[in-house]
Amino acid sequence: MRYFEDFEVGQCITLAPYSVQAADIISFARQFDPQPFHLDPLDTKTQQLGGLMASGWHTAAIAMRMKVDAYLGDTATLTSPGVDQLRWLLPVRAGDTLSGIELVTVARRSRSQPDRGVLATEVRLQNQHEKLVMTLEATVFVLARHP
């Protein structure tokens, strides 16, 4: 288990590759973002936009999965006060393989609750062509090993 003390500013966490499938794009879109360019590869608008693309919210959810697999699943996380910045820079398409890094930008003990620390991070996801597709800045509270 990782605790607040296991993180430091400048630490870079590798996010393992994740392959995006057309069926997953469509399934996510049906439930959460039912727009034609996320649902129907043959739709005129979809074709005009270069083909089926994942919802930005799907891409963010994939990033979350990648983060959990990389370190959050084995970290004493408590909650998150939110996301400070989220940018979708390029469409994510069926067949893309996303990879990325998460950089710790802030690691400080909570002033009001010394049993935890505050981590701010910046996520950078890229596709298999090394093109940046999404950036995300967020904060999470992590339990301290030694309060």
Side-chain angles (χ1 to χ4, degrees):
M1 181 68 61
R2 294 183 208 187
Y3 293 88
F4 170 70
E5 294 89 346
D6 298 316
F7 297 92
E8 61 186 39
V9 172
Q11 184 175 354
C12 187
I13 300 163
T14 300
L15 305 178
Y18 186 97
S19 295
V20 181
Q21 307 301 316
D24 296 332
I25 290 172
I26 293 167
S27 177
F28 184 95
R30 275 195 188 117
Q31 189 167 4
F32 300 108
D33 194 353
Q35 298 182 75
F37 40 87
H38 302 317
L39 290 169
D40 184 359
L42 303 177
D43 181 82
T44 303
K45 186 183 275 189
T46 305
Q47 293 299 312
Q48 291 171 344
L49 293 170
L52 189 70
M53 67 179 83
S55 164
W57 298 112
H58 186 188
T59 305
I62 290 168
M64 187 68 208
R65 178 58 198 238
M66 294 167 76
K67 289 166 51 95
V68 169
D69 289 348
Y71 77 100
L72 283 176
D74 187 37
T75 297
T77 53
L78 297 169
T79 60
S80 172
V83 171
D84 296 313
Q85 181 261 64
L86 173 62
R87 297 282 183 258
W88 299 303
L89 305 168
L90 287 176
V92 171
R93 309 274 184 188
D96 279 355
T97 298
L98 304 180
S99 60
I101 60 162
E102 183 158 8
L103 180 67
V104 177
T105 57
V106 172
R108 68 169 176 80
R109 185 74 66 151
S110 170
R111 295 185 228 4
S112 60
Q113 296 179 300
D115 68 331
R116 65 198 64 189
V118 178
L119 295 181
T121 63
E122 179 182 306
V123 173
R124 300 173 63 80
L125 284 189
Q126 63 184 23
N127 63 21
Q128 68 277 9
H129 305 295
E130 298 183 359
K131 301 285 185 183
L132 200 58
V133 299
M134 190 190 91
T135 61
L136 167 72
E137 294 175 10
T139 304
V140 65
F141 299 120
V142 179
L143 193 62
R145 181 179 290 114
H146 306 289

Short mmCIF file of all heavy atoms in Angstrom, two decimals, residues 45-78:
data_model
loop_
_atom_site.label_atom_id
_atom_site.label_comp_id
_atom_site.label_asym_id
_atom_site.label_seq_id
_atom_site.Cartn_x
_atom_site.Cartn_y
_atom_site.Cartn_z
N LYS A 45 -22.50 13.13 -40.26
CA LYS A 45 -21.69 13.99 -39.39
C LYS A 45 -20.43 13.26 -38.93
O LYS A 45 -19.34 13.83 -38.89
CB LYS A 45 -22.49 14.46 -38.18
CG LYS A 45 -21.74 15.48 -37.32
CD LYS A 45 -22.52 15.87 -36.10
CE LYS A 45 -23.48 16.99 -36.45
NZ LYS A 45 -24.14 17.57 -35.26
N THR A 46 -20.58 11.98 -38.60
CA THR A 46 -19.44 11.17 -38.18
C THR A 46 -18.40 11.14 -39.29
O THR A 46 -17.20 11.32 -39.05
CB THR A 46 -19.88 9.73 -37.82
OG1 THR A 46 -20.90 9.79 -36.84
CG2 THR A 46 -18.71 8.91 -37.30
N GLN A 47 -18.87 10.91 -40.52
CA GLN A 47 -17.97 10.86 -41.67
C GLN A 47 -17.27 12.20 -41.88
O GLN A 47 -16.08 12.25 -42.17
CB GLN A 47 -18.74 10.44 -42.93
CG GLN A 47 -19.25 9.00 -42.88
CD GLN A 47 -18.12 8.00 -42.76
OE1 GLN A 47 -17.14 8.07 -43.48
NE2 GLN A 47 -18.25 7.07 -41.83
N GLN A 48 -18.02 13.29 -41.74
CA GLN A 48 -17.44 14.63 -41.91
C GLN A 48 -16.35 14.91 -40.87
O GLN A 48 -15.42 15.66 -41.14
CB GLN A 48 -18.54 15.70 -41.81
CG GLN A 48 -19.49 15.70 -42.97
CD GLN A 48 -20.68 16.62 -42.73
OE1 GLN A 48 -20.97 17.03 -41.61
NE2 GLN A 48 -21.39 16.93 -43.81
N LEU A 49 -16.48 14.30 -39.71
CA LEU A 49 -15.51 14.51 -38.63
C LEU A 49 -14.38 13.49 -38.65
O LEU A 49 -13.57 13.44 -37.72
CB LEU A 49 -16.23 14.48 -37.27
CG LEU A 49 -17.19 15.65 -37.03
CD1 LEU A 49 -18.03 15.41 -35.79
CD2 LEU A 49 -16.42 16.96 -36.93
N GLY A 50 -14.33 12.68 -39.68
CA GLY A 50 -13.22 11.74 -39.83
C GLY A 50 -13.47 10.35 -39.28
O GLY A 50 -12.55 9.54 -39.22
N GLY A 51 -14.69 10.06 -38.87
CA GLY A 51 -15.02 8.73 -38.38
C GLY A 51 -15.40 8.71 -36.92
O GLY A 51 -15.36 9.73 -36.23
N LEU A 52 -15.77 7.54 -36.46
CA LEU A 52 -16.19 7.32 -35.08
C LEU A 52 -15.11 7.81 -34.12
O LEU A 52 -13.92 7.56 -34.32
CB LEU A 52 -16.44 5.83 -34.86
CG LEU A 52 -17.09 5.42 -33.55
CD1 LEU A 52 -18.55 5.88 -33.52
CD2 LEU A 52 -17.01 3.91 -33.38
N MET A 53 -15.54 8.51 -33.07
CA MET A 53 -14.60 8.99 -32.06
C MET A 53 -15.19 8.79 -30.67
O MET A 53 -16.40 8.85 -30.49
CB MET A 53 -14.24 10.45 -32.28
CG MET A 53 -15.37 11.42 -32.08
SD MET A 53 -14.90 13.14 -32.34
CE MET A 53 -15.04 13.24 -34.11
N ALA A 54 -14.32 8.55 -29.73
CA ALA A 54 -14.74 8.38 -28.34
C ALA A 54 -15.20 9.72 -27.77
O ALA A 54 -14.64 10.77 -28.10
CB ALA A 54 -13.59 7.83 -27.50
N SER A 55 -16.19 9.66 -26.92
CA SER A 55 -16.59 10.83 -26.15
C SER A 55 -15.39 11.29 -25.32
O SER A 55 -14.61 10.47 -24.83
CB SER A 55 -17.75 10.46 -25.23
OG SER A 55 -17.94 11.42 -24.22
N GLY A 56 -15.26 12.58 -25.14
CA GLY A 56 -14.21 13.08 -24.26
C GLY A 56 -14.37 12.53 -22.85
O GLY A 56 -13.38 12.25 -22.17
N TRP A 57 -15.63 12.36 -22.43
CA TRP A 57 -15.88 11.80 -21.10
C TRP A 57 -15.43 10.35 -21.03
O TRP A 57 -14.97 9.89 -19.98
CB TRP A 57 -17.35 11.95 -20.73
CG TRP A 57 -17.73 13.39 -20.66
CD1 TRP A 57 -18.56 14.07 -21.51
CD2 TRP A 57 -17.23 14.37 -19.74
NE1 TRP A 57 -18.62 15.40 -21.15
CE2 TRP A 57 -17.82 15.61 -20.08
CE3 TRP A 57 -16.36 14.31 -18.66
CZ2 TRP A 57 -17.56 16.77 -19.37
CZ3 TRP A 57 -16.09 15.47 -17.95
CH2 TRP A 57 -16.69 16.69 -18.31
N HIS A 58 -15.54 9.63 -22.14
CA HIS A 58 -15.03 8.26 -22.21
C HIS A 58 -13.51 8.27 -22.07
O HIS A 58 -12.93 7.47 -21.33
CB HIS A 58 -15.47 7.62 -23.53
CG HIS A 58 -15.15 6.16 -23.64
ND1 HIS A 58 -15.32 5.48 -24.81
CD2 HIS A 58 -14.66 5.26 -22.76
CE1 HIS A 58 -14.95 4.22 -24.65
NE2 HIS A 58 -14.54 4.07 -23.40
N THR A 59 -12.87 9.19 -22.76
CA THR A 59 -11.41 9.32 -22.68
C THR A 59 -10.99 9.62 -21.24
O THR A 59 -10.02 9.04 -20.73
CB THR A 59 -10.90 10.40 -23.64
OG1 THR A 59 -11.36 10.09 -24.97
CG2 THR A 59 -9.39 10.49 -23.62
N ALA A 60 -11.72 10.50 -20.57
CA ALA A 60 -11.42 10.81 -19.17
C ALA A 60 -11.61 9.57 -18.29
O ALA A 60 -10.82 9.32 -17.37
CB ALA A 60 -12.29 11.96 -18.67
N ALA A 61 -12.65 8.79 -18.57
CA ALA A 61 -12.88 7.56 -17.80
C ALA A 61 -11.76 6.55 -18.04
O ALA A 61 -11.33 5.86 -17.11
CB ALA A 61 -14.24 6.96 -18.16
N ILE A 62 -11.29 6.47 -19.28
CA ILE A 62 -10.16 5.58 -19.58
C ILE A 62 -8.93 6.05 -18.79
O ILE A 62 -8.21 5.23 -18.21
CB ILE A 62 -9.87 5.55 -21.09
CG1 ILE A 62 -10.99 4.81 -21.82
CG2 ILE A 62 -8.51 4.92 -21.39
CD1 ILE A 62 -10.96 4.96 -23.34
N ALA A 63 -8.70 7.35 -18.76
CA ALA A 63 -7.56 7.88 -17.99
C ALA A 63 -7.69 7.49 -16.52
O ALA A 63 -6.69 7.11 -15.88
CB ALA A 63 -7.48 9.39 -18.14
N MET A 64 -8.90 7.56 -15.99
CA MET A 64 -9.10 7.18 -14.60
C MET A 64 -8.76 5.71 -14.40
O MET A 64 -8.09 5.35 -13.41
CB MET A 64 -10.55 7.47 -14.19
CG MET A 64 -10.81 7.26 -12.73
SD MET A 64 -9.92 8.51 -11.77
CE MET A 64 -9.68 7.63 -10.24
N ARG A 65 -9.18 4.86 -15.32
CA ARG A 65 -8.85 3.44 -15.23
C ARG A 65 -7.34 3.23 -15.26
O ARG A 65 -6.78 2.43 -14.49
CB ARG A 65 -9.52 2.68 -16.38
CG ARG A 65 -9.20 1.19 -16.41
CD ARG A 65 -9.64 0.59 -15.08
NE ARG A 65 -9.05 -0.68 -14.83
CZ ARG A 65 -9.74 -1.79 -14.61
NH1 ARG A 65 -11.05 -1.78 -14.67
NH2 ARG A 65 -9.12 -2.91 -14.36
N MET A 66 -6.67 3.94 -16.14
CA MET A 66 -5.22 3.84 -16.26
C MET A 66 -4.54 4.27 -14.95
O MET A 66 -3.56 3.66 -14.52
CB MET A 66 -4.72 4.66 -17.44
CG MET A 66 -5.20 4.12 -18.79
SD MET A 66 -4.93 5.28 -20.17
CE MET A 66 -3.16 5.09 -20.41
N LYS A 67 -5.07 5.32 -14.32
CA LYS A 67 -4.53 5.81 -13.05
C LYS A 67 -4.71 4.78 -11.94
O LYS A 67 -3.81 4.53 -11.15
CB LYS A 67 -5.21 7.13 -12.66
CG LYS A 67 -4.83 8.31 -13.51
CD LYS A 67 -5.76 9.50 -13.33
CE LYS A 67 -6.02 9.95 -11.95
NZ LYS A 67 -5.20 11.03 -11.45
N VAL A 68 -5.90 4.19 -11.88
CA VAL A 68 -6.17 3.17 -10.85
C VAL A 68 -5.24 1.98 -11.05
O VAL A 68 -4.65 1.47 -10.09
CB VAL A 68 -7.65 2.74 -10.87
CG1 VAL A 68 -7.87 1.51 -10.00
CG2 VAL A 68 -8.53 3.88 -10.40
N ASP A 69 -5.09 1.54 -12.30
CA ASP A 69 -4.21 0.40 -12.57
C ASP A 69 -2.75 0.72 -12.25
O ASP A 69 -2.02 -0.14 -11.78
CB ASP A 69 -4.33 -0.03 -14.03
CG ASP A 69 -5.66 -0.70 -14.35
OD1 ASP A 69 -6.41 -1.04 -13.41
OD2 ASP A 69 -5.95 -0.87 -15.55
N ALA A 70 -2.34 1.96 -12.49
CA ALA A 70 -0.93 2.35 -12.30
C ALA A 70 -0.56 2.52 -10.83
O ALA A 70 0.54 2.15 -10.42
CB ALA A 70 -0.62 3.63 -13.07
N TYR A 71 -1.47 3.12 -10.03
CA TYR A 71 -1.08 3.38 -8.65
C TYR A 71 -2.24 3.60 -7.68
O TYR A 71 -2.13 3.26 -6.50
CB TYR A 71 -0.10 4.57 -8.56
CG TYR A 71 -0.75 5.91 -8.71
CD1 TYR A 71 -1.03 6.71 -7.59
CD2 TYR A 71 -1.08 6.42 -9.96
CE1 TYR A 71 -1.63 7.95 -7.72
CE2 TYR A 71 -1.67 7.66 -10.09
CZ TYR A 71 -1.95 8.41 -8.97
OH TYR A 71 -2.54 9.64 -9.10
N LEU A 72 -3.34 4.17 -8.13
CA LEU A 72 -4.41 4.49 -7.18
C LEU A 72 -5.03 3.25 -6.53
O LEU A 72 -5.48 3.30 -5.39
CB LEU A 72 -5.52 5.31 -7.86
CG LEU A 72 -5.21 6.78 -8.09
CD1 LEU A 72 -6.36 7.44 -8.85
CD2 LEU A 72 -4.94 7.50 -6.79
N GLY A 73 -5.05 2.14 -7.26
CA GLY A 73 -5.60 0.91 -6.71
C GLY A 73 -4.82 0.37 -5.53
O GLY A 73 -5.34 -0.42 -4.74
N ASP A 74 -3.59 0.83 -5.39
CA ASP A 74 -2.72 0.39 -4.30
C ASP A 74 -2.26 1.58 -3.46
O ASP A 74 -1.15 1.60 -2.93
CB ASP A 74 -1.50 -0.35 -4.87
CG ASP A 74 -0.64 -0.99 -3.79
OD1 ASP A 74 -1.21 -1.48 -2.81
OD2 ASP A 74 0.59 -0.96 -3.93
N THR A 75 -3.12 2.59 -3.38
CA THR A 75 -2.78 3.80 -2.64
C THR A 75 -3.92 4.10 -1.66
O THR A 75 -5.09 3.87 -1.97
CB THR A 75 -2.59 5.00 -3.60
OG1 THR A 75 -1.49 4.71 -4.46
CG2 THR A 75 -2.31 6.29 -2.85
N ALA A 76 -3.57 4.62 -0.50
CA ALA A 76 -4.56 4.94 0.53
C ALA A 76 -5.24 6.27 0.22
O ALA A 76 -5.18 7.22 0.99
CB ALA A 76 -3.87 4.97 1.90
N THR A 77 -5.90 6.30 -0.95
CA THR A 77 -6.61 7.52 -1.34
C THR A 77 -7.89 7.65 -0.51
O THR A 77 -8.51 6.66 -0.14
CB THR A 77 -6.98 7.51 -2.84
OG1 THR A 77 -7.68 6.32 -3.15
CG2 THR A 77 -5.75 7.60 -3.69
N LEU A 78 -8.27 8.88 -0.25
CA LEU A 78 -9.48 9.16 0.52
C LEU A 78 -10.57 9.70 -0.41
O LEU A 78 -11.54 9.01 -0.67
CB LEU A 78 -9.15 10.14 1.64
CG LEU A 78 -8.16 9.60 2.67
CD1 LEU A 78 -7.68 10.70 3.59
CD2 LEU A 78 -8.79 8.46 3.45
#
